[in-house]
Amino acid sequence: MDHFNYHHGVLHVEALSLETLAQRHGTPLYVYSRATLERHWHAFDRALGDHPHLVCYAVKANSSLAVLNLLARLGSGFDIVSVGELERVVRAGGDPGKVVFSGVGKRTDEMRRALELGIRCFNVESAAELERLNAEAGALGVTAPVSLRVNPDVDAQTHPYISTGLKENKFGVDVTDALELYRRAAALPHLNIIGIDCHIGSQLTRLEPFVDALHRVLHLARTLEDEGIRLHHLDLGGGLGICYRDEHPPLPEQYAQAMLAVLQDTHYEILVEPGRAIAGNAGVLLTQVEYLKPTRHKHFAIVDAAMNDLIRPALYSAWMDIVPVRPRGGEGIPYDVVGPVCETGDFLGKARTLDLAAGDLLAVRSAGAYGFTMSSNYNTRPRPAEVMVDGDRDWLIHRRQTLDELMAGETLLPG
Ligand code: LLP
């Protein structure tokens, strides 16, 4: 459930109309709902109940400082993939002691900073990374807390670009090699093995792949215990899908119940790294129709948001719902909703039945995750503004980028 609903014929976020927000802040505009974000975070936290656990929100989904700050206030942990994301968490008031660091290519400087701040765990993805982390920790005179990210070779049954748990993917350590690597890690003096990590993909809409992966992870954990390598936690990664159109992904409660049923009486603390399921349906991208362009073949609605603002449709052929802020009530005709960028792939939606006039406002739903964070300056388009709504109040949490800011840092060659 989210807090984007029609009142008196106008789409609202919580108690504010999107028309009001467009007037105040202009378009294109990302609009987030605080109540929805918090509700989704609590859904995971509550679902894991009394079992020792930590919800580590995946920062890459939506890394706005205000979003991170709200989740930090709830006591959230964070899953990061770069030192940039780590600095964001710190600036947003997050606790480094609740940060897990994922990613296949951690640089030395990134490891150092994370060690200095005392993060909760490094999710290590290769033998070479293990060696480097050991050396860096030794140089700093500390011990690095480590999990190995294992690749359980299960098919997440999602888009190939966001499927990560198959053996041909670059992620993690093959589950069959993991035992050997754990032995090596245990012999390294500056590492402290504390867990296993696993993330098999994103936008999963069924429980089976999660359950299969967990069985494999648990089997490995037990084998390690037999060898005297005792783990403290299992990190189950993120990946729970959301409804964009007609998917029926499990709810966080159902997901947690399925996981806890497998874990039964085990002592492991459970870490989860949800991103999309927390932020996705907590945001929309608000855009205005610039022109209607009927051609012999199709009707185009040219809007002021483009693939640089929201790349998911162009990159993954992702279907994202596009709804009028103030429906006109007519039957509508099929429109391709496209942006001003000079690429045929620049579309937000195709063949959408809408009743439109130039100047109308449209909301692209489910844009709270992997929306702003994947935006770019392509075509020298400044990044859009971001607003957080809290009841009947709105906060500009990230002002629209100016052209000066966009070009700052560039220089001409000397004459
Ligand atoms: N943990 C790790 C290690 C990850 O790689 C990811 C996402 C997550 C957690 C969070 O997954 P989530 O709960 O959000 O599914 N840009 C794509 C999604 C890429 C996901 C990458 N990894 C999209 O727009 O669909």
Side-chain angles (χ1 to χ4, degrees):
M1 200 200 94
D2 56 50
H3 290 78
F4 295 82
N5 295 299
Y6 287 95
H7 298 298
H8 307 294
V10 181
L11 186 58
H12 282 60
V13 48
E14 303 194 18
L16 275 179
S17 102
L18 285 167
E19 284 183 346
T20 305
L21 293 169
Q23 279 159 13
R24 284 187 192 156
H25 306 288
T27 53
L29 181 71
Y30 275 100
V31 182
Y32 310 125
S33 153
R34 176 178 185 174
T36 311
L37 271 173
E38 295 188 341
R39 183 191 151 87
H40 291 166
W41 187 90
H42 281 301
F44 278 95
D45 190 50
R46 211 173 292 131
L48 288 161
D50 292 338
H51 195 102
H53 67 272
L54 183 61
V55 179
C56 296
Y57 166 70
V59 172
K60 65 171 82 67
N62 184 323
S63 52
S64 295
L65 291 178
V67 169
L68 302 182
N69 172 252
L70 288 182
L71 298 179
R73 290 193 221 177
L74 303 183
S76 189
F78 296 94
D79 166 53
I80 59 153
V81 291
S82 71
V83 72
E85 288 191 348
L86 179 55
E87 298 299 351
R88 278 188 177 276
V89 169
V90 171
R91 274 193 209 186
D95 176 358
K98 292 183 179 173
V99 166
V100 296
F101 195 166
S102 303
V104 293
K106 300 175 194 77
R107 292 190 313 260
T108 305
D109 63 298
E110 296 186 302
M111 289 178 172
R112 245 179 249 148
R113 180 70 175 138
L115 286 168
E116 270 166 27
L117 287 170
I119 66 163
R120 169 73 185 266
C121 191
F122 289 85
N123 292 336
V124 170
E125 304 218 15
S126 65
E129 185 189 336
L130 213 48
E131 301 286 346
R132 187 187 284 190
L133 184 59
N134 179 59
E136 287 311 314
L140 286 178
V142 297
T143 306
V146 165
S147 278
L148 284 187
R149 175 169 174 182
V150 299
N151 187 335
D153 193 28
V154 298
D155 184 358
Q157 298 164 17
T158 183
H159 190 285
Y161 284 13
I162 52 177
S163 179
T164 51
L166 285 171
K167 56 177 181 287
E168 62 260 35
N169 296 135
K170 70 177 173 181
F171 299 99
V173 180
D174 197 305
V175 72
T176 49
D177 302 331
L179 187 56
E180 189 46 44
L181 205 53
Y182 265 106
R183 287 185 189 129
R184 269 172 77 179
L188 291 171
H190 308 295
L191 301 183
N192 181 21
I193 298 170
I194 59 169
I196 301 189
D197 168 49
C198 155
H199 170 82
I200 55 174
S202 197
Q203 184 54 14
L204 272 70
T205 53
R206 298 180 48 234
L207 286 174
E208 287 77 5
F210 287 117
V211 173
D212 286 355
L214 180 55
H215 277 298
R216 290 178 198 196
V217 164
L218 204 52
H219 179 72
L220 177 60
R222 290 192 171 125
T223 313
L224 289 168
E225 301 250 339
D226 292 344
E227 296 224 356
I229 301 176
R230 202 171 154 75
L231 305 178
H232 172 264
H233 76 243
L234 307 183
D235 181 338
L236 310 182
L240 189 64
I242 62 169
C243 176
Y244 285 98
R245 188 179 198 174
D246 49 13
E247 308 89 336
H248 296 287
L251 296 171
E253 291 74 16
Q254 295 165 317
Y255 163 79
Q257 269 170 24
M259 299 293 112
L260 293 176
V262 178
L263 293 163
Q264 300 242 356
D265 309 319
T266 60
H267 63 273
Y268 304 110
E269 181 180 3
I270 297 307
L271 272 53
V272 288
E273 304 171 353
R276 190 191 316 263
I278 290 178
N281 279 326
V284 299
L285 174 60
L286 186 58
T287 183
Q288 186 164 35
V289 178
E290 290 283 349
Y291 302 104
L292 294 182
K293 180 171 174 179
T295 70
R296 277 182 217 287
H297 304 290
K298 282 189 177 176
H299 290 269
F300 291 101
I302 301 168
V303 299
D304 63 5
M307 66 189 286
N308 73 293
D309 304 302
L310 179 64
I311 202 173
R312 302 193 70 259
L315 190 59
Y316 314 113
S317 303
W319 191 96
M320 301 185 66
D321 201 10
I322 303 178
V323 297
V325 168
R326 183 184 285 272
R328 293 175 169 276
E331 254 185 29
I333 54 171
Y335 281 101
D336 278 10
V337 180
V338 301
V341 161
C342 303
E343 299 253 0
T344 304
D346 179 27
F347 64 90
L348 297 176
K350 289 186 172 169
R352 301 304 173 87
T353 302
L354 293 161
D355 177 17
L356 292 179
D360 282 5
L361 292 169
L362 295 172
V364 185
R365 303 284 317 256
S366 314
Y370 308 110
F372 188 91
T373 48
M374 295 181 81
S375 67
S376 78
N377 289 126
Y378 189 39
N379 279 207
T380 304
R381 291 169 50 84
R383 285 203 167 70
E386 297 176 280
V387 165
M388 179 76 68
V389 172
D390 181 8
D392 59 1
R393 291 186 305 174
D394 60 316
W395 307 95
L396 182 63
I397 57 169
H398 194 171
R399 62 180 164 73
R400 191 174 303 285
Q401 193 179 31
T402 65
L403 285 172
D404 278 339
E405 286 164 347
L406 188 157
M407 288 182 256
E410 297 190 40
T411 47
L412 305 180
L413 292 181

